[in-house]
């Protein structure tokens, strides 16, 4: 008798509700909203194609013209110098801010404070006029005689002033980004390296920086892209970068919109390239971490193709 | 006790953090080839003592000698002057330290974790360091994990890698700071087995732990600390089974 009750309690009575098929919730308005958005996109694309105001023939005539290509080169040059010098100086300032010396920490803090406070465009005009303050720049004993000296104008042309301004400005932001990345590394990592007797520089270079890079990279890439577009600000110094050159051409031909599109197309294209580079570099520094970025669309496509091929063989 | 026989010699060590006096005059001798297990309630200063031995903590008073050499300081006249960091780092290569939370380098593979210090700190040729690293990995039973990244391993495996990493410098003394406290219970055994194996081969060790059973089985000396002082020390049969001091009895009653 007891066994039967036990068996009965093990198998619950058949419940008809438990057998019913399960269907997802219907969302008809989602479909409507999607279709409406598609119509708007179609209208925009149609406008791009047929509105004569975009003047695509002029766009085609100038997008690969020598003067524009040369201007793209100048823009890339400004970005490259600004990035390399900015982040190199930024790394030094970050190291000073993390150092044990209160004097160095204060100097680094003051640098960041000053260069984040002054608008970039003001700085650029200021550097451009440096020769007004100092006619010659020399190296020698502080407050004493100098051994070598240069005329400021010779040392610092318009391009030099632009690079200087961009790099000094960038360094302030880069310093904070690098410092943030270093602070995010677990303190136990430094302790473990110290316990193993690894020399100080190697601790920073081999243990801390590679781990800090994970935090630094997304922000650094933001900065590089923003600097890349931000170089357009040096048009105030009449340097022949992309935006300035586009202005020069539409000033001559009066075709404003197509030339703005020429500049836009180049900015978009090169930003896309920078984003792809960022993705690759981030994946490299994610090695060993639990969360790796998902595969790129291209990697996903290749994986799918190999899978299909393997199935066929 | 004469300093000639001790591998690790701790004398009159004091350490305070702000107003809290964590170590209040510690004396301890560890003979070569023996295992010393340090027990005590949390906050008793046992981890701080261990960290003081390899100068991860600076001392306020007293000294630590390893194999006759002052650690972290050198005597200048009637003062103990702190050594430059470069010298301290060199001294630490003779002391292996195993952390509670492993602190493996996550961006380096298991093998690279073991190679980093011999190459970077001692200048051992990379190939030689790699060969030695593989030997050590098979010693802790992880030869097949050489090319994995640490985060892919279980906690027990990570701690065994950390022990192998400490051994890669061929230290004179191994220091363990609660090596099994961060592990799931079923993973504790594999780590203790590795440590027991090292004990059998005559490695000098100081182990801070809560594993009383391990202390009973492996320790030559058990040290019981409370409130920043050594309350009593002696062979496990004495300290664990016939404690002289009331505080020791109270602690053992709680953990056993």
């Amino acid at each position: 008798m007891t066994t039967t009750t036990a068996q009965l309690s093990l198998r619950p009575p058949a419940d008809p509700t438990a057998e019913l098929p399960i269907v997802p919730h219907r969302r008809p308005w989602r479909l409507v909203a999607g279709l409406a958005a598609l119509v708007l996109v179609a209208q925009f694309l149609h406008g791009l194609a047929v509105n004569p105001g975009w003047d695509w023939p002029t766009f085609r005539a100038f997008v690969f013209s020598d003067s524009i290509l040369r201007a793209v080169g100048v823009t890339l040059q400004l970005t490259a110098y600004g990035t390399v010098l900015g982040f190199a100086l930024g790394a030094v300032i970050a190291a000073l801010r993390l150092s044990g010396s209160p004097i160095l920490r204060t100097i680094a803090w003051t640098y960041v404070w000053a260069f984040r406070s002054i608008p970039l465009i003001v700085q650029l005009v200021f550097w451009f006029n440096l020769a007004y303050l100092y006619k010659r720049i020399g190296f020698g004993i502080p407050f004493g005689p100098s051994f070598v000296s240069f005329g400021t104008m010779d040392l610092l042309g318009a391009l030099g002033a632009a690079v200087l301004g961009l790099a000094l400005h960038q360094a302030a932001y880069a310093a904070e980004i690098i410092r943030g990345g270093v602070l995010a590394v677990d303190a136990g990592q430094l302790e473990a390296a110290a316990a193993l007797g690894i020399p100080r520089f190697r601790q920073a270079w081999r243990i801390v920086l590679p781990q800090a890079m994970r935090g630094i990279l997304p922000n650094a890439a933001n900065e590089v892209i923003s600097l890349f577009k931000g170089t357009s600000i040096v048009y105030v110094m009449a340097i022949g970068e992309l935006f300035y050159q586009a202005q020069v051409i539409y000033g001559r031909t009066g075709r404003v919109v197509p030339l703005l599109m020429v500049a836009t197309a180049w900015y978009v294209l090169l930003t896309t390239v920078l984003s792809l580079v960022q993705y690759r570099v981030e994946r490299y520094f994610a090695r060993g971490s639990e969360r790796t970025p998902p595969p790129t669309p291209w990697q996903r496509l290749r994986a799918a193709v190999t899978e299909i091929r393997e199935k066929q063989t | 006790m004469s300093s000639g026989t001790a591998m690790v010699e701790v004398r009159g060590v004091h350490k305070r953090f702000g107003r809290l006096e964590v170590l209040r005059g510690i004396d301890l001798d560890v003979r070569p080839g023996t295992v010393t297990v340090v027990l005590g309630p949390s906050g008793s200063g046992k981890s701080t003592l261990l960290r003081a031995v390899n100068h991860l903590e600076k001392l306020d008073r007293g000294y630590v000698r390893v194999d006759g050499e002052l650690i972290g300081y050198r005597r200048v006249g009637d003062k103990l002057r702190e050594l430059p960091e470069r010298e301290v780092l060199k001294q630490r290569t003779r002391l292996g330290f195993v952390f509670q939370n492993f602190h493996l380098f996550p961006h380096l593979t298991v093998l690279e974790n073991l190679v980093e210090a011999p190459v970077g700190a001692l200048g051992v040729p990379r190939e030689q360091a790699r060969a030695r690293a593989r030997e050590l990995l098979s010693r802790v039973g992880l030869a097949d994990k050489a090319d994995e990244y640490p985060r892919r391993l279980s906690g027990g495996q990570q701690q065994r890698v950390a022990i192998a990493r400490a051994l890669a410098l061929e230290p004179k003394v191994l220091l363990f700071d609660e090596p099994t406290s961060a592990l799931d219970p079923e993973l504790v055994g594999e780590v203790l087995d590795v440590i027991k194996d090292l004990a059998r081969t005559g490695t000098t060790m100081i182990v801070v732990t809560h594993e009383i059973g391990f202390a009973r089985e492996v320790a030559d000396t058990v040290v019981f600390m409370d409130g920043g002082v050594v309350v009593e020390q002696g062979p496990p049969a004495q300290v664990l089974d016939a404690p002289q001091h009331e505080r020791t009895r109270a602690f053992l009653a709680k953990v056993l």
Side-chain angles (χ1 to χ4, degrees):
Chain A
M1 192 60 205
T2 43
T3 42
T4 23
T5 26
Q7 273 167 356
L8 276 176
S9 69
L10 273 178
R11 184 188 291 171
D15 179 351
T17 313
E19 309 296 324
L20 297 176
I22 292 173
V23 291
H25 173 61
R26 275 170 210 256
R27 294 180 172 87
W29 288 106
R30 190 187 266 184
L31 185 67
V32 173
L35 287 175
L38 277 181
V39 170
L40 287 176
V41 171
Q43 270 187 307
F44 176 69
L45 291 177
H46 179 256
L48 272 187
V50 301
N51 185 334
W54 294 108
D55 194 1
W56 294 111
T58 308
F59 176 89
R60 268 193 296 279
F62 281 105
V63 70
F64 293 120
S65 67
D66 281 349
S67 58
I68 287 293
L69 287 181
R70 228 176 300 125
V72 169
V74 173
T75 291
L76 285 175
Q77 232 180 338
L78 285 168
T79 310
Y81 288 143
T83 302
V84 172
L85 295 176
F87 274 84
L89 181 58
V92 173
I93 292 163
L96 295 185
R97 273 207 75 178
L98 293 164
S99 83
S101 153
I103 298 176
L104 296 180
R105 275 207 305 269
T106 309
I107 289 174
W109 183 89
T110 310
Y111 179 93
V112 171
W113 167 77
F115 280 86
R116 285 200 309 200
S117 306
I118 307 167
L120 177 56
I121 194 158
V122 175
Q123 268 189 61
L124 286 170
V125 177
F126 175 80
W127 291 117
F128 194 57
N129 293 296
L130 188 66
Y132 164 78
L133 278 176
Y134 301 98
K135 295 242 164 1
R136 299 186 72 77
I137 295 173
F139 297 93
I141 299 161
F143 302 106
S146 57
F147 305 130
V148 280
S149 74
F150 308 91
T152 303
M153 284 304 250
D154 307 330
L155 194 67
L156 206 64
L159 197 68
V163 165
L164 186 66
L166 290 171
L168 291 176
H169 176 81
Q170 198 54 53
Y173 290 92
E176 287 297 274
I177 289 171
I178 293 169
R179 191 172 69 95
V182 169
L183 288 180
V185 175
D186 177 16
Q189 290 292 309
L190 265 186
E191 199 158 69
L196 286 164
I198 296 168
R200 196 61 193 272
F201 180 79
R202 201 178 165 101
Q203 288 181 21
W205 187 251
R206 287 274 298 172
I207 307 299
V208 176
L209 256 190
Q211 297 185 58
M213 284 306 275
R214 291 211 69 197
I216 293 173
L217 272 171
N219 295 321
N222 248 357
E223 285 296 310
V224 174
I225 287 170
S226 132
L227 174 66
F228 167 63
K229 290 176 302 174
T231 55
S232 56
I233 208 173
V234 309
Y235 84 94
V236 296
M237 298 156 87
I239 292 170
E241 48 73 49
L242 186 52
F243 181 56
Y244 179 82
Q245 200 57 45
Q247 279 182 309
V248 166
I249 296 172
Y250 71 60
R252 202 175 58 221
T253 61
R255 302 196 183 272
V256 177
V257 170
L259 275 144
L260 285 181
M261 282 306 281
V262 165
T264 304
W266 277 108
Y267 283 124
V268 169
L269 174 74
L270 292 169
T271 301
T272 309
V273 172
L274 286 174
S275 303
L276 293 176
V277 171
Q278 171 191 3
Y279 197 88
R280 286 287 159 161
V281 179
E282 273 185 28
R283 283 189 73 84
Y284 173 77
F285 280 103
R287 68 199 193 280
S289 73
E290 281 152 346
R291 286 174 298 167
T292 41
T296 54
W298 170 242
Q299 284 169 332
R300 223 173 287 163
L301 183 74
R302 261 198 330 205
V305 169
T306 17
E307 200 179 318
I308 291 165
R309 271 203 199 135
E310 274 167 8
K311 268 183 191 162
Q312 282 173 342
T313 53
Chain B
M1 264 179 257
S2 82
S3 60
T5 57
M7 176 59 90
V8 180
E9 191 190 346
V10 178
R11 284 291 175 278
V13 165
H14 286 72
K15 173 71 185 176
R16 64 165 66 238
F17 293 118
R19 298 175 64 183
L20 182 70
E21 200 165 18
V22 186
L23 298 178
R24 301 189 297 157
I26 303 283
D27 293 309
L28 189 67
D29 276 295
V30 176
R31 280 172 289 116
T34 65
V35 179
T36 300
V37 170
V38 183
L39 300 175
S42 67
S44 60
K46 50 194 194 310
S47 284
T48 308
L49 170 64
L50 199 71
R51 294 162 58 83
V53 171
N54 76 341
H55 202 63
L56 281 177
E57 301 290 352
K58 294 173 184 176
L59 309 183
D60 294 332
R61 197 137 45 86
Y63 67 82
V64 174
R65 279 182 202 277
V66 172
D67 207 10
E69 186 183 352
L70 271 179
I71 297 297
Y73 301 90
R74 102 192 119 95
R75 189 162 174 177
V76 183
D78 55 355
K79 288 198 176 82
L80 290 178
R81 174 162 298 164
E82 191 174 14
L83 290 171
E85 191 177 357
R86 197 164 19 90
E87 302 290 324
V88 178
L89 288 169
K90 209 177 286 174
Q91 290 186 329
R92 290 207 189 105
T93 61
R94 283 159 237 155
L95 293 156
F97 200 101
V98 176
F99 295 88
Q100 180 177 349
N101 293 313
F102 332 134
H103 293 332
L104 292 175
F105 304 131
H107 60 300
L108 302 178
T109 64
V110 165
L111 193 77
E112 287 166 341
N113 262 278
L114 268 65
V115 167
E116 182 59 25
V119 171
L122 297 180
V124 175
R126 188 164 282 273
E127 272 319 301
Q128 192 183 323
R130 291 170 69 92
R132 173 84 183 126
R134 287 187 192 282
E135 272 173 46
L136 287 168
L137 284 177
S138 50
R139 187 162 167 193
V140 298
L142 292 170
D144 55 328
K145 303 290 185 194
D147 298 320
E148 283 284 6
Y149 284 100
R151 288 205 178 119
R152 299 269 173 85
L153 307 182
S154 73
Q157 290 171 331
Q158 289 190 46
Q159 193 59 300
R160 281 145 69 197
V161 172
I163 294 171
R165 181 176 70 173
L167 288 170
L169 290 165
E170 309 193 356
K172 291 174 179 166
V173 182
L174 272 181
L175 309 168
F176 292 86
D177 188 8
E178 304 200 20
T180 59
S181 296
L183 298 177
D184 290 340
E186 78 269 24
L187 301 177
V188 169
E190 62 185 76
V191 171
L192 291 184
D193 284 343
V194 169
I195 303 176
K196 283 178 204 165
D197 182 53
L198 290 170
R200 272 193 290 276
T201 57
T203 314
T204 310
M205 296 193 276
I206 305 178
V207 187
V208 170
T209 184
H210 292 290
E211 301 283 335
I212 306 289
F214 169 81
R216 196 188 301 279
E217 188 181 345
V218 182
D220 296 290
T221 308
V222 174
V223 174
F224 176 72
M225 280 180 73
D226 195 10
V229 295
V230 173
V231 176
E232 65 182 297
Q233 57 176 308
Q238 182 194 315
V239 176
L240 297 177
D241 299 328
Q244 301 298 304
H245 209 284
E246 182 48 42
R247 277 193 282 177
T248 319
R249 274 197 287 273
F251 174 76
L252 290 173
K254 261 186 256 171
V255 295
L256 282 178

